[in-house]
Amino acid sequence: MRVIVRTLSELCITAGALIVLFVGYVLFWTGVRAEGAMNDQIGRLRAEWSAGSGRARPAARAEPPRAYEPGEPFAIMSIPRLGATWHKPVLEGTGTGTLKKGLGHYAGTARLGATGNFAVAGHRRTYGDPFKDVPRLRPGDAVVLTDGTTRYTYRIDEGPYRTVPTDVAVLDPVPRKPGYTRPGRYLTLTTCDPEWGHSHRLIVWAHLDATQPVDTGHPQAPRR
């Protein structure tokens, strides 16, 4: 009997140690790796833009915009309410691998700054916790994105709004919940709720308030 009790005790201790290690991995190590990955993506974009190459190079003549490449970064998002150092890369797609490196643009929704709904997803917890503080956002807050040539300032109208994952209408070109009734230039942010679960989603909606060439300091109202 003593052997059995001792064996069970050792197994419980081992299982407990493995659980602690797993929790440490989820809470700490995935965050460290994600922060490094996001910083790499931002550095890559800034290097491209500084060199005047790739997606950031202005076209010599009017041409159709280049398609976003799956899994590739194309913009940087900043949200002043979340801090002066809050900067996250935006990549194309919302697959698991993509969201480990930053925020993900829902394929099929509008391009950045274009008419329609530019929709972006991000983890609430793990992998750098990019949208951990989404509940702090309020109507009137700014969400700023840049693609290397233009700075787009969106202004939050509604949210955070809690819904279920099957409520795909939140990504409609004209989302009805925030009161939009006609085509416009909209932004939707989505993340999981509760913090450590995924039974629901938190949604934030915004409209394009101004655009600004990155080499000037004069914001311009978007053309209708």
Side-chain angles (χ1 to χ4, degrees), residues 27-80:
L27 293 179
F28 178 73
W29 186 241
T30 62
V32 170
R33 294 184 63 184
E35 285 293 339
M38 286 189 279
N39 288 336
D40 287 345
Q41 299 298 315
I42 290 175
R44 173 182 168 186
L45 282 173
R46 287 176 172 165
E48 288 180 2
W49 298 342
S50 179
S53 62
R55 288 179 291 279
R57 183 171 56 220
R61 60 183 183 278
E63 295 179 351
R66 293 180 58 179
Y68 298 145
E69 300 174 18
E72 294 297 310
F74 62 88
I76 298 173
M77 179 185 292
S78 303
I79 303 180

Side-chain angles (χ1 to χ4, degrees), residues 9-220:
S9 298
E10 291 175 353
L11 288 174
C12 289
I13 292 172
T14 301
L18 291 174
I19 291 172
V20 169
L21 289 173
F22 176 74
V23 171
Y25 170 79
V26 171
L27 293 179
F28 178 73
W29 186 241
T30 62
V32 170
R33 294 184 63 184
E35 285 293 339
M38 286 189 279
N39 288 336
D40 287 345
Q41 299 298 315
I42 290 175
R44 173 182 168 186
L45 282 173
R46 287 176 172 165
E48 288 180 2
W49 298 342
S50 179
S53 62
R55 288 179 291 279
R57 183 171 56 220
R61 60 183 183 278
E63 295 179 351
R66 293 180 58 179
Y68 298 145
E69 300 174 18
E72 294 297 310
F74 62 88
I76 298 173
M77 179 185 292
S78 303
I79 303 180
R81 177 176 284 277
L82 302 186
T85 60
W86 195 98
H87 308 293
K88 307 297 179 185
V90 182
L91 298 86
E92 177 66 1
T94 55
T96 302
T98 299
L99 293 180
K100 290 180 180 180
K101 298 184 287 185
L103 307 176
H105 170 243
Y106 284 93
T109 66
R111 294 175 60 88
L112 177 57
T115 298
N117 188 2
F118 177 72
V120 176
H123 280 295
R124 180 89 177 275
R125 283 293 192 176
T126 70
Y127 298 107
D129 306 338
F131 275 170
K132 175 176 69 70
D133 292 324
V134 158
R136 294 175 51 198
L137 299 180
R138 296 292 180 267
D141 286 349
V143 180
V144 183
L145 294 109
T146 181
D147 62 2
T149 60
T150 304
R151 184 175 294 111
Y152 302 88
T153 300
Y154 289 84
R155 197 68 59 179
I156 293 176
D157 296 307
E158 178 76 19
Y161 167 73
R162 192 169 188 258
T163 189
V164 293
T166 54
D167 185 7
V168 296
V170 300
L171 303 180
D172 283 351
V174 182
R176 300 297 177 178
K177 175 60 184 179
Y180 304 139
T181 59
R182 60 181 181 178
R185 294 172 171 87
Y186 303 122
L187 166 70
T188 299
L189 307 180
T190 77
T191 193
C192 291
D193 191 65
E195 285 192 38
W196 296 104
H198 50 79
S199 62
H200 288 74
R201 297 289 184 268
L202 288 183
I203 313 296
V204 173
W205 290 283
H207 69 278
L208 185 61
D209 187 55
T211 61
Q212 172 185 350
V214 295
D215 57 355
T216 71
H218 305 288
Q220 303 169 353

